[in-house]
């Protein structure tokens, strides 16, 4: 036995174990550092990492995005691009603080303030510290190569200062204002929620709310009333008006109740009036029994938006509790009643309701209406209702004073900037356009604690001071600087500044900023926009001190790396991070901050359900690492078409593991025979040259095609195409090249070994960005004198393949598949040799008749017409809609055999041309033949058996049995044997002895009592 150059492979790979080993080696050998060193100074590929919220351990959802980011960065690195690799953590805002509140058992803003804001801020930072370490560990385990340790943290003073600078500019342009308006409000968090936050997944949930029909007696029409409908009982005490559609008809029931006639088509009415005629009618409010309602004159107003699709067509209007109501109220000059406080509890002047929450009050309100005879009907109403994205509390509408950035002057420039961006998939770019066309002003203020402090100092003199940097703050501060640990509450609240207008001291507003400000500024804050000098570790400021070594570069660096060539996040981020980045970039530069975007849809469990901790179908990243391995996870993520939800789970992972065995087994096959032949391939002679047989030439061309096609798919950011191309390639390599070349490997044919080695090595290189572990593991085994890691080898050269030749073999493989189908219908085993195959309609295969014969195991292949009866049936789903009433005639003609064959699978019947997709074609063979047909190619297999064929069939059976015995006995591939066959097979040995010996490596065949093998001496 020759020295084993290549390490023999176990039957199946242990992915997790192999990955840990590779990780350890990367670490030891500094593989990533070597890669970065090699590419330094090369062409640049700029990528901005969307910051992951640092409040949790890694989940399989997060690992999806991280995989795509890593995959394309690895691809670009193989192509020699210099990259930044900066990872980011999102560290402020509701995500963090609501989690901390929960952990501390606090449940209101009052309780947080009692707990102490300093200590609360420190607890929030602790969460970020823990989570950033966890996420880093798991990301490394996933194989993500980033510049760990030089991450950006959005709670650094540097990041905050950059947002301040942007806000100051917004103020200078006149776009910043304080708005008094109705807003979606979380009563638990005690803050408003902005329009784009409603786009986050999980915000809209199915919910059953009370459905109430309430009678409102009219003041000037005795015995008559309006009937309104509501699903939010708590808003009734704030009712000030009832709206009708001026163009619709309203009818009076016998009971005196007025409703829209169109809503009750089966009812007859005593009197009918146009909606416009009802306008101005006065009515008694539903809660005139309480002081606020008693002071209001309730009246009917007109509103074009009144829906005739639901309710009664008379709409209850409470401008203090609804966005549209507020706008209508403003137009009509209606009074505003605001019934609940920040926490959603009724104010004191609401009498017996005072202190109740919006939800608690529902039953009592319904009871009270019933008692007073105002309730017409009550039930439940199922609908999609928005909830707080952080704490899951149903949102309400409240009037609040919030800070807004006007989008009026920005909408058009943002649309123009987005038009320069290439979105994949394309429809996501359209979604962004839609959002930009419809977005309202950006509500940037939140009444919370652990967030970006808004640098707004409104003065009693009417002047709004906006601070643009820490230096400016220090310059204008009137005290409190000595205790300013971070630019954060509560410390910053203790730093008053001097009003630049009147010189009086002014205090900061207490609001913090929308968390999307923090993430949107990243293309500026991390790249040193307008920074006069490069400051080593200059990003490690404020709360980020001690967590990172990230530098603050200078403006020249920003010029180099802005805009990003590419960014990637899930679709939800269109209205979140992609939007906030675009917004801030258009404010600061007038340009889009990225050139290309890759988006993807949602992740569900493998049965298509959302994953929830409480449903037991949640998978942690650690569980997935240990049960499927990172490569298999990455495969599952990458194979996902971008426009569909990913169904992630262990079931699909099993499938992938099976799929990956084709490559594993092919490498294993190579290793076995290369070791036997003492074959030593050299990296310097990668591309096979010399005396290639046609099949060798085919694999080389097939490899060229795979490299070329996969490269094009990577360039399009279509990872799922790379996967599909890889699967087809490895199938060709294993199930065509290896199988058809098997005998040459037994003979230690060096050319065959060289060609196979080339095919395997190229496959590893192309798919290494997807599966960095398995490919590197196999690479180290296969490549003896090349780069020490597949990730340090450059991207394979893209050569133009001989497509004509490849198509020929692809046709040949299709004919083989058809022949196998025909054989399957006859019930004959694949091993059984047959006399003849007739092929019709595949002229390109004629040059490969011998290959075809051996592959299909027939003595002879004939190219010519197949004698078979042609049956053509209409494909109804395709043809029905197209032909309509003509279908019957076509159907009759086909059934009667009255049709003309046009070639290429097309037919003409009853005057209609039928395309291949329009018809189902069957060919029934004559006696003794099996027929199969597809896309204009037909094969007929002669299934008649004679003695010779039968006896050859038995030889194949015998060979297979012996091969199995060899395996069971653990014989080496090269071991010779002595074979004993039972007497009834003596005749087989007599006729085919040499053939059998050759196939099973037998020195000698003996006749004995039973089949047996023995290792030859
Ligand atoms: Zn909330
Ligand atoms: Zn002033």
């Amino acid at each position: 036995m020759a020295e084993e150059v290549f390490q023999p492979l176990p039957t199946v790979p242990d992915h997790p174990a192999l990955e840990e080993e590779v990780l350890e080696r990367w670490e030891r050998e500094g593989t990533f550092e070597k890669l970065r060193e090699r590419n330094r100074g090369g062409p640049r590929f700029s990528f901005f990492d969307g910051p992951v919220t640092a409040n949790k351990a890694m989940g399989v959802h997060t690992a999806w995005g991280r995989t795509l980011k890593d995959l394309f960065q690895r691809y670009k690195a193989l192509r020699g691009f210099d990259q930044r690799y900066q990872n980011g953590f999102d560290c402020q805002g509701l995500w963090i603080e609501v989690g901390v509140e929960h952990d501390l058992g606090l449940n209101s803003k009052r309780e947080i303030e009692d707990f102490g804001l300093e200590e609360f801020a420190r607890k929030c930072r602790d969460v970020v510290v823990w989570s950033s370490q966890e996420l880093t560990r798991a990301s490394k385990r996933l194989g993500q190569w980033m510049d760990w340790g030089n991450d950006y943290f959005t709670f650094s003073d540097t990041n905050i200062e950059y947002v301040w600078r942007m806000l100051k500019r917004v103020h200078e342009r006149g776009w910043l204002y304080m708005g008094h308006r109705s807003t979606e409000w979380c009563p638990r968090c005690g803050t408003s929620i902005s329009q784009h936050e409603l786009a986050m997944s999980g915000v809209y949930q199915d919910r059953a709310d009370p459905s109430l029909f309430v009678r409102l007696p009219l003041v000037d029409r005795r015995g008559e009333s309006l009937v309104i409908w509501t699903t939010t009982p708590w808003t009734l005490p704030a009712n000030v008006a009832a709206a009708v559609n001026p163009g619709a008809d309203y009818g009076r029931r016998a009971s005196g109740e007025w409703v829209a006639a169109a809503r009750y088509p089966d009812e007859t009415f005593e009197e009918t009036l146009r909606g416009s005629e009802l306008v101005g009618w006065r009515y008694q409010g539903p809660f005139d029994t309480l002081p606020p309602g008693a002071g209001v004159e309730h009246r009917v107003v007109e509103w074009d938006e009144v829906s005739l699709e639901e309710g009664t067509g008379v709409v209850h209007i409470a401008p203090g509790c609804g966005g549209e109501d507020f706008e209508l109220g403003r137009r009509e000059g209606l009074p505003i009643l605001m019934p609940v406080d920040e926490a959603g509890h009724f104010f004191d002047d609401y009498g017996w309701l005072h202190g109740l929450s919006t939800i608690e009050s529902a039953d009592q309100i319904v009871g009270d209406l019933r008692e007073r005879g105002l309730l017409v009907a009550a039930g439940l109403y199922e609908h999609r209702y928005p909830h707080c994205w952080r704490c899951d509390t149903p949102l309400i509408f409240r009037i609040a004073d919030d800070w807004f950035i006007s989008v009026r002057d920005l909408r058009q420039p943002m649309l123009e900037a987005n038009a320069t961006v290439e979105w994949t998939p394309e429809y996501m770019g359209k979604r962004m356009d839609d959002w930009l066309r419809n977005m309202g002003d950006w509500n940037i203020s939140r009444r919370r604690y652990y967030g970006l402090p808004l640098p707004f100092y409104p003065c009693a003199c009417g002047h709004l001071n906006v601070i643009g940097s820490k230096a400016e703050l220090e310059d204008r501060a009137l005290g409190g600087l000595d205790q300013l640990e971070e630019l954060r509450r509560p410390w910053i609240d203790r730093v008053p500044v001097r009003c630049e207008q009147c010189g009086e001291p002014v205090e900061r507003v207490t609001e913090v900023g929308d968390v999307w400000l923090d993430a949107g500024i990243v293309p500026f804050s991390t790249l040193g926009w307008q920074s006069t000098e490069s400051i080593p570790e200059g990003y490690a400021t404020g709360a980020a001190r001690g967590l990172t070594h990230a530098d603050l570069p200078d403006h020249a660096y920003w010029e180099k790396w802005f805009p990003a060539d590419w960014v990637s996040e899930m679709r939800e981020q269109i209205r979140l991070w992609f939007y906030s980045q675009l917004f801030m970039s258009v404010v600061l530069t007038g340009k889009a901050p990225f050139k290309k975007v890759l988006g993807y849809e949602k992740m569900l469990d493998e049965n298509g359900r959302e994953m929830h901790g409480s449903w037991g179908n949640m998978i942690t990243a650690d569980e997935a690492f240990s049960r499927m391995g990172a490569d298999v996870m990455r495969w599952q993520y990458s194979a996902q078409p971008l426009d569909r939800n990913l169904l992630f789970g262990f079931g699909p992972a099993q499938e992938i593991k099976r799929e990956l065995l084709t490559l594993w087994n092919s490498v294993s096959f190579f290793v076995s025979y290369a070791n036997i032949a003492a074959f030593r391939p050299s990296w310097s002679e990668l591309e096979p040259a010399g005396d290639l047989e046609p099949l060798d030439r085919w694999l080389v061309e097939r490899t060229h095609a795979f490299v070329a096609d996969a490269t094009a798919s990577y360039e399009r950011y279509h990872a799922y195409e790379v996967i599909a191309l890889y699967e087809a390639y490895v199938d060709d390599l294993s199930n065509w090249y290896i199988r058809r070349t098997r005998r040459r490997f037994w003979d230690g044919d060096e050319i065959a070994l060289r060609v196979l080695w080339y095919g395997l090595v190229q496959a590893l290189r192309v798919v290494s960005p997807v599966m960095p572990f398995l490919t590197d593991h196999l690479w180290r085994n296969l490549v003896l004198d090349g780069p020490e890691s597949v990730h340090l080898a450059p991207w394979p050269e893209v050569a133009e393949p001989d497509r004509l030749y490849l198509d020929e073999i692809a046709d040949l493989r299709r004919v083989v598949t058809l022949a196998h189908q025909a054989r399957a219908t006859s019930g004959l085993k694949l091993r059984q040799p047959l006399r003849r195959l007739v092929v019709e309609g595949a002229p390109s295969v004629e040059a490969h008749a011998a290959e075809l014969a051996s592959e299909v195991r027939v003595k002879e292949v004939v190219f010519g017409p197949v004698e078979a009866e042609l049956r053509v049936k209409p494909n109804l789903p395709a043809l029905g809609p197209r032909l309509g009433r003509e279908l019957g005639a076509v159907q009759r003609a086909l059934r009667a055999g009255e049709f003309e064959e046009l070639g290429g699978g097309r037919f003409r019947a009853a005057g209609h041309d039928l395309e291949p997709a329009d018809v189902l074609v069957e060919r029934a063979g004559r006696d003794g033949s099996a027929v199969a047909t597809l896309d204009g190619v037909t094969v007929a297999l002669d299934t008649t058996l004679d003695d010779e064929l039968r006896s050859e069939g038995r030889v194949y059976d015998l060979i297979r049995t012996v091969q199995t015995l060899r395996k069971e006995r653990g014989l080496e591939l090269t071991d010779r044997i002595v074979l004993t066959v039972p007497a009834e097979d003596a005749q087989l040995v007599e006729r085919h002895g040499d053939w059998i010996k050759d196939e099973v490596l037998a020195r000698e065949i003996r006749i004995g009592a039973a089949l047996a093998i023995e290792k030859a001496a």
Side-chain angles (χ1 to χ4, degrees):
M1 168 75 47
E3 181 206 347
E4 286 198 338
V5 175
F6 303 100
Q7 197 64 39
L9 267 50
T11 333
V12 291
D14 177 349
H15 288 281
L18 164 168
E19 288 166 4
E20 297 283 359
E21 205 181 295
V22 171
L23 278 174
E24 193 270 324
R25 198 167 49 213
W26 286 347
E27 185 75 39
R28 194 176 60 232
E29 297 180 358
T31 313
F32 179 45
E33 287 69 36
K34 286 176 186 165
L35 177 69
R36 294 192 71 183
E37 192 47 49
R38 190 191 74 187
N39 290 341
R40 199 151 288 150
R44 281 186 295 274
F45 177 69
S46 180
F47 164 73
F48 301 158
D49 182 41
V52 57
T53 308
N55 71 334
K56 56 188 175 294
M58 175 101 92
V60 291
H61 297 74
T62 310
W64 184 6
R66 307 215 131 208
T67 293
L68 292 178
K69 292 172 181 179
D70 185 59
L71 189 158
F72 289 105
Q73 289 195 102
R74 280 178 181 272
Y75 167 71
K76 288 292 178 181
L78 291 170
R79 304 221 68 167
F81 283 87
D82 195 358
Q83 298 174 66
R84 296 179 60 246
Y85 294 105
Q86 190 177 32
N87 173 77
F89 292 111
D90 215 0
C91 320
Q92 313 186 110
L94 277 184
W95 277 121
I96 314 281
E97 46 175 323
V98 174
V100 170
E101 260 185 281
H102 182 261
D103 291 346
L104 294 173
L106 306 175
N107 209 23
S108 72
K109 285 164 58 169
R110 166 71 51 82
E111 285 175 22
I112 296 176
E113 288 180 18
D114 290 348
F115 178 79
L117 291 190
E118 280 182 35
E119 188 56 15
F120 187 72
R122 292 201 176 94
K123 294 277 184 204
C124 288
R125 185 180 184 273
D126 288 349
V127 169
V128 173
V129 173
W130 164 79
S131 166
S132 59
Q133 286 165 356
E134 258 312 292
L135 289 164
T136 301
R137 177 189 64 76
S139 302
K140 287 179 178 173
R141 175 64 188 86
L142 180 67
Q144 191 184 15
W145 273 351
M146 290 296 255
D147 191 7
W148 304 115
N150 290 317
D151 320 78
Y152 70 81
F153 287 74
T154 61
F155 63 11
S156 78
D157 280 0
T158 310
N159 207 66
I160 290 168
E161 280 192 84
Y162 267 94
V163 179
W164 282 10
R165 195 183 305 196
M166 198 275 314
L167 290 173
K168 189 169 174 107
R169 175 167 298 206
V170 163
H171 178 50
E172 287 163 358
R173 304 294 297 269
W175 296 330
L176 182 71
Y177 71 95
M178 152 88 75
H180 176 75
R181 62 178 63 173
S182 182
T183 170
E184 300 271 10
W185 185 277
C186 174
R188 201 219 63 90
C189 294
T191 185
S192 55
I193 297 289
S194 79
Q195 201 187 357
H196 60 254
E197 284 169 299
L198 298 178
M200 298 177 73
S201 69
V203 164
Y204 278 87
Q205 299 171 18
D206 287 326
R207 203 182 132 72
D209 276 312
S211 162
L212 305 184
F213 291 85
V214 179
R215 180 180 301 121
L216 303 174
L218 289 165
V219 173
D220 305 313
R221 300 174 69 107
R222 283 185 65 83
E224 296 181 17
S225 58
L226 303 166
V227 181
I228 55 150
W229 174 68
T230 184
T231 59
T232 47
W234 70 271
T235 64
L236 286 172
N239 174 279
V240 299
V244 294
N245 191 321
D249 284 337
Y250 287 79
R252 177 163 55 82
R253 294 167 167 160
S255 61
E257 294 167 358
W258 286 89
V259 293
R263 294 292 304 142
Y264 302 92
D266 300 334
E267 293 189 25
T268 51
F269 296 103
E270 314 245 302
E271 180 185 0
T272 303
L273 291 172
R274 287 301 259 186
S276 54
E277 297 177 85
L278 273 57
V279 172
W281 288 4
R282 293 180 304 148
Y283 65 89
Q284 294 168 21
F287 283 93
D288 286 357
T289 48
L290 299 174
V296 171
E297 188 185 56
H298 302 270
R299 60 188 171 94
V300 176
V301 297
E302 64 172 37
W303 190 28
D304 292 332
E305 304 296 312
V306 167
S307 163
L308 297 171
E309 302 297 317
E310 59 180 10
T312 63
V314 185
V315 176
H316 146 62
I317 301 295
C321 314
E324 292 176 315
D325 300 39
F326 181 79
E327 295 304 322
L328 179 67
R330 191 130 73 170
R331 263 202 323 273
E332 293 282 339
L334 300 175
I336 295 173
L337 300 183
M338 211 162 72
V340 297
D341 62 14
E342 280 198 359
H345 294 134
F346 276 91
F347 286 116
D348 290 355
D349 53 350
Y350 281 81
W352 51 271
L353 284 167
H354 107 258
L356 293 177
S357 77
T358 55
I359 294 171
E360 289 162 349
S361 62
D363 284 348
Q364 306 204 30
I365 287 173
V366 173
D368 185 66
L369 290 169
R370 184 175 286 128
E371 231 165 75
R372 292 190 286 128
L374 297 180
L375 193 65
V376 179
L380 280 180
Y381 180 67
E382 299 265 355
H383 58 160
R384 305 280 286 166
Y385 193 85
H387 290 64
C388 174
W389 57 272
R390 185 58 196 105
C391 74
D392 235 14
T393 304
L395 298 179
I396 61 173
F397 269 97
R398 261 191 105 244
I399 312 262
D401 291 329
D402 282 315
W403 292 93
F404 287 86
I405 303 177
S406 161
V407 298
R408 200 190 52 217
D409 297 343
L410 286 165
R411 193 186 310 277
Q412 194 51 35
M414 282 179 80
L415 279 162
E416 282 160 23
N418 189 45
T420 67
V421 178
E422 190 183 317
W423 287 78
T424 305
E426 226 181 303
Y427 68 85
M428 293 195 188
K430 304 263 185 301
R431 293 274 180 96
M432 177 60 106
D433 273 344
D434 287 347
W435 163 245
L436 294 177
R437 276 194 202 96
N438 296 310
M439 66 182 174
D441 291 350
W442 184 357
N443 175 345
I444 56 167
S445 55
R446 301 289 177 273
R447 288 153 198 266
R448 297 291 307 183
Y449 308 98
Y450 200 72
L452 170 106
L454 291 176
F456 306 156
Y457 296 75
C459 178
C461 79
H463 182 73
L464 173 62
N465 297 273
V466 176
I467 302 289
S469 68
K470 195 171 176 180
E472 189 185 343
L473 178 73
E474 285 167 356
D475 200 40
R476 293 172 58 181
L478 294 171
L481 288 176
D482 47 336
Q483 55 85 51
L484 188 63
E485 293 182 20
E486 306 166 6
L487 294 180
R488 190 177 315 287
R489 301 188 71 187
W491 303 286
I492 190 153
D493 295 343
R494 300 174 192 142
V495 184
V497 304
R498 191 178 298 286
C499 173
E500 58 195 344
Q501 187 82 25
C502 70
E504 288 298 308
V506 250
E507 305 223 318
R508 195 185 75 83
V509 299
T510 53
E511 282 91 336
V512 297
D514 179 359
V515 55
W516 300 104
L517 291 166
D518 303 337
I521 200 66
V522 158
F524 299 90
S525 63
T526 62
L527 299 179
W529 180 70
Q530 289 194 347
S531 155
T532 49
E533 55 177 335
S534 173
I535 306 169
E537 308 214 1
Y539 206 89
T541 51
R545 207 171 285 129
L547 292 179
T548 177
H549 299 291
D551 302 334
L552 177 65
D554 61 7
H555 190 75
Y557 183 89
W558 179 83
E559 296 270 1
K560 262 163 87 174
W561 294 96
F562 180 94
D565 292 298
W566 182 69
V567 290
S568 173
E569 303 290 336
M570 67 189 302
R571 174 167 57 86
E572 180 183 277
Q573 297 294 337
I574 290 172
R575 288 165 71 170
L576 303 170
W577 188 56
F578 293 140
Y579 154 73
S580 68
Q581 263 191 100
L582 186 67
F583 193 104
M584 293 164 104
S585 185
V586 167
V587 167
L588 296 177
T589 70
K591 285 195 298 195
F594 36 71
K595 295 180 186 164
K596 292 184 180 181
V597 180
L598 176 71
Y600 48 94
E601 292 289 339
K602 274 196 334 190
M603 179 186 289
L604 302 171
D605 77 4
E606 59 188 83
N607 301 311
R609 295 194 315 159
E610 301 264 356
M611 290 191 191
H612 280 294
S614 56
W615 293 355
N617 63 347
M618 197 68 167
I619 302 174
T620 67
D622 280 337
E623 200 183 349
F625 290 140
S626 64
R627 283 182 58 192
M628 58 177 94
D631 277 336
V632 173
M633 290 165 72
R634 296 173 64 112
W635 190 271
Q636 213 170 143
Y637 298 137
S638 309
Q640 178 60 31
L642 300 166
D643 58 353
R644 269 165 276 163
N645 292 334
L646 166 59
L647 308 188
F648 186 87
F650 291 105
Q654 271 321 105
E655 290 297 317
I656 292 165
K657 281 187 184 176
R658 258 197 294 280
E659 184 81 42
L660 293 179
L661 279 182
T662 314
L663 174 71
W664 183 262
N665 291 337
S666 301
V667 173
S668 183
F669 178 89
F670 168 83
V671 164
S672 306
Y673 289 99
N675 278 338
I676 293 167
F679 172 65
R680 281 168 185 268
S682 170
W683 174 247
S684 57
E685 299 164 65
L686 175 68
E687 181 102 10
D691 214 358
L692 301 191
E693 295 197 7
L695 203 54
D696 300 331
R697 200 162 66 74
W698 170 77
L699 188 66
V700 172
E701 291 301 327
R702 182 68 184 84
T703 309
H704 289 165
F706 171 52
V707 171
D709 296 346
T711 302
S713 294
Y714 275 117
E715 290 295 328
R716 282 195 293 271
Y717 295 96
H718 285 180
Y720 61 96
E721 279 178 9
V722 173
I723 303 276
L725 289 165
Y726 163 88
E727 286 175 347
Y729 174 74
V730 173
D731 178 61
D732 272 343
L733 179 138
S734 164
N735 292 321
W736 192 253
Y737 184 77
I738 292 184
R739 220 164 38 75
R740 305 254 349 108
T741 315
R742 207 170 277 267
R743 186 162 291 273
R744 286 167 63 202
F745 290 106
W746 297 350
D747 299 340
D749 181 322
E750 190 173 328
I751 297 279
L753 284 165
R754 178 169 298 282
V755 169
L756 176 57
W757 179 75
Y758 166 74
L760 291 171
V761 166
Q762 297 298 75
L764 295 181
R765 296 170 78 186
V766 170
V767 85
S768 66
V770 181
M771 285 194 298
F773 298 103
L774 185 69
T775 52
D776 210 24
H777 176 78
L778 295 174
W779 173 274
R780 308 253 178 167
N781 198 2
L782 290 186
V783 180
L784 308 173
D785 62 349
E788 66 189 37
S789 161
V790 67
H791 307 296
L792 294 174
W795 188 249
E797 257 175 63
V798 180
E800 194 43 50
D802 182 346
R803 301 267 180 197
L804 273 175
Y805 185 46
L806 290 174
D807 288 348
E808 224 173 277
I809 303 296
D811 287 348
L812 172 59
R813 286 206 70 186
R814 267 194 289 279
V815 171
V816 169
T817 307
L818 268 185
H820 288 334
Q821 266 173 32
R823 186 187 278 263
T825 63
S826 70
L828 289 167
K829 282 186 289 199
L830 275 176
R831 284 198 294 282
Q832 175 61 57
L834 296 171
R835 195 56 67 192
R836 201 153 78 116
L837 176 75
V838 184
V839 181
E840 181 190 321
S844 65
V845 178
E846 283 189 41
H848 303 277
E851 270 173 288
L852 179 56
S854 95
E855 192 58 24
V856 179
R857 207 160 273 181
V858 294
K859 301 280 178 195
E860 180 193 18
V861 176
V862 176
F863 291 88
V866 167
E867 287 187 24
E869 191 193 331
L870 187 63
R871 289 185 202 142
V872 182
K873 292 181 187 164
N875 181 16
L876 293 175
L879 214 46
R882 214 185 77 204
L883 292 184
R885 259 185 294 173
E886 290 287 285
L887 181 65
V890 170
Q891 211 163 4
R892 274 190 299 280
L894 290 175
R895 198 181 301 137
E898 290 160 4
F899 55 82
E900 189 186 337
E901 220 177 330
L902 300 176
R906 298 168 62 246
F907 296 88
R908 177 174 298 141
H912 291 277
D913 284 356
L914 309 176
E915 297 299 316
D918 294 335
V919 290
L920 306 167
V921 180
E922 280 173 15
R923 282 175 197 258
R926 298 282 145 84
D927 284 351
S929 79
V931 173
T933 189
L934 184 73
D935 296 340
V937 180
T938 304
V939 301
L941 202 54
D942 183 349
T943 53
T944 330
L945 293 180
D946 53 33
D947 279 352
E948 190 195 358
L949 293 173
R950 275 196 200 91
S951 115
E952 285 180 16
R954 282 176 59 203
V955 173
Y956 279 115
D957 285 344
L958 177 67
I959 289 169
R960 185 185 153 91
T961 312
V962 176
Q963 300 291 26
T964 311
L965 278 177
R966 285 185 59 113
K967 255 190 212 143
E968 284 168 10
R969 295 276 295 274
L971 295 185
E972 295 287 336
L973 291 170
T974 47
D975 286 341
R976 306 277 146 171
I977 58 166
V978 172
L979 172 66
T980 307
V981 300
E984 66 259 32
D985 285 341
Q987 218 189 351
L988 285 185
V989 176
E990 204 172 292
R991 275 167 76 179
H992 302 291
D994 288 345
W995 176 19
I996 299 169
K997 278 186 189 165
D998 211 29
E999 292 284 339
V1000 303
L1001 296 190
R1003 283 251 159 79
E1004 188 188 330
I1005 304 181
R1006 295 174 188 161
I1007 306 297
L1011 186 72
I1013 66 168
E1014 214 176 299
K1015 195 170 157 180

